[in-house]
């Protein structure tokens, strides 16, 4: 009967050691997991900052495109009006074309601005649709 008690004690000691080892393993695994999660969160933040910077850069480029389009259209009109000479249509019809072209350029500029606003609205709605992705920070 004494052997049974010794064996029970040895088994309980062995189980206690195993439990201790398993608890240490679990805690170290959890620490590693939390460190990895922190690294991934930092990476997500960095990528978001990079994305915002690219979006700002794209917005600036869109504005430059609009300005350049208007400038090119104006230069084309100036070139047409000064270089037409006697071969082109009458001066009155050229002026009408210039005015019409200017109105179309202004309309195109306004529509491009509306498209930019609508894109921003779509982005805002997309961020609202997928809030789980935004709350990761």
């Amino acid at each position: 009967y004494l052997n049974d008690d010794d064996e029970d004690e040895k088994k309980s000691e062995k189980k206690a050691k195993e439990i201790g080892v398993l608890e240490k393993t679990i805690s170290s695994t959890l620490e590693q997991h939390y460190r990895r999660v922190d690294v991934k969160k930092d990476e997500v933040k960095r990528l978001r900052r990079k994305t915002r910077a690219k979006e700002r850069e794209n917005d600036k480029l869109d504005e430059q495109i609009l300005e350049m389009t208007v400038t090119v259209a104006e230069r084309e009109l100036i070139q047409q009006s000064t270089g037409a000479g006697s071969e082109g249509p009458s001066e009155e019809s050229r002026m009408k074309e210039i005015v019409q072209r200017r109105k179309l350029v202004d309309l195109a500029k306004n529509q491009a601005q509306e498209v930019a606003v609508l894109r921003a609205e779509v982005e805002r709605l997309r961020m609202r649709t997928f809030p789980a992705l935004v709350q990761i920070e």
Side-chain angles (χ1 to χ4, degrees), residues 43-59 123 126-127:
E43 189 176 336
V44 166
K45 286 179 184 178
R46 182 183 57 80
L47 290 173
R48 283 207 175 117
R49 282 192 301 269
K50 194 174 181 180
T51 301
R52 284 191 295 269
K54 290 291 181 182
E55 286 174 350
R56 285 191 297 269
E57 185 179 339
N58 284 342
D59 290 341
E123 181 65 21
R126 184 183 65 81
M127 296 304 281

Side-chain angles (χ1 to χ4, degrees), residues 24-41:
K24 286 181 182 178
T25 304
I26 288 172
S27 66
S28 67
T29 304
L30 282 174
E31 286 177 28
Q32 288 176 350
H33 170 71
Y34 291 133
R35 274 189 251 126
R36 287 182 185 148
V37 167
D38 288 340
V39 167
K40 294 299 179 183
K41 283 182 180 180

Side-chain angles (χ1 to χ4, degrees), residues 2-124:
L2 290 175
N3 285 339
D4 286 342
D5 286 339
D6 286 340
E7 285 180 25
D8 287 342
E9 277 185 39
K10 288 180 182 178
K11 286 182 181 178
S12 65
E13 287 177 14
K14 189 176 180 181
K15 284 186 179 182
K17 286 181 181 178
E18 284 181 28
I19 289 172
V21 168
L22 290 174
E23 286 175 349
K24 286 181 182 178
T25 304
I26 288 172
S27 66
S28 67
T29 304
L30 282 174
E31 286 177 28
Q32 288 176 350
H33 170 71
Y34 291 133
R35 274 189 251 126
R36 287 182 185 148
V37 167
D38 288 340
V39 167
K40 294 299 179 183
K41 283 182 180 180
D42 291 342
E43 189 176 336
V44 166
K45 286 179 184 178
R46 182 183 57 80
L47 290 173
R48 283 207 175 117
R49 282 192 301 269
K50 194 174 181 180
T51 301
R52 284 191 295 269
K54 290 291 181 182
E55 286 174 350
R56 285 191 297 269
E57 185 179 339
N58 284 342
D59 290 341
K60 288 179 184 177
L61 290 174
D62 285 341
E63 289 175 14
Q64 287 178 357
I65 288 172
L66 285 174
E67 291 173 8
M68 288 180 168
T69 303
V70 170
T71 303
V72 167
E74 288 174 350
R75 287 185 180 184
E76 285 177 351
L77 290 175
I78 291 170
Q79 185 180 11
Q80 287 175 358
S81 66
T82 58
S86 61
E87 295 177 20
S90 69
E91 192 171 318
E92 184 178 322
S93 64
R94 269 191 279 138
M95 286 303 292
K96 286 181 182 179
E97 288 177 9
I98 291 172
V99 169
Q100 181 183 13
R101 175 100 174 155
R102 182 66 189 164
K103 286 180 182 178
L104 290 174
V105 168
D106 288 340
L107 179 64
K109 184 176 179 181
N110 289 338
Q111 288 176 346
Q113 288 173 347
E114 286 180 35
V115 167
V117 168
L118 292 174
R119 280 185 184 159
E121 180 70 11
V122 165
E123 181 65 21
R124 185 185 66 79

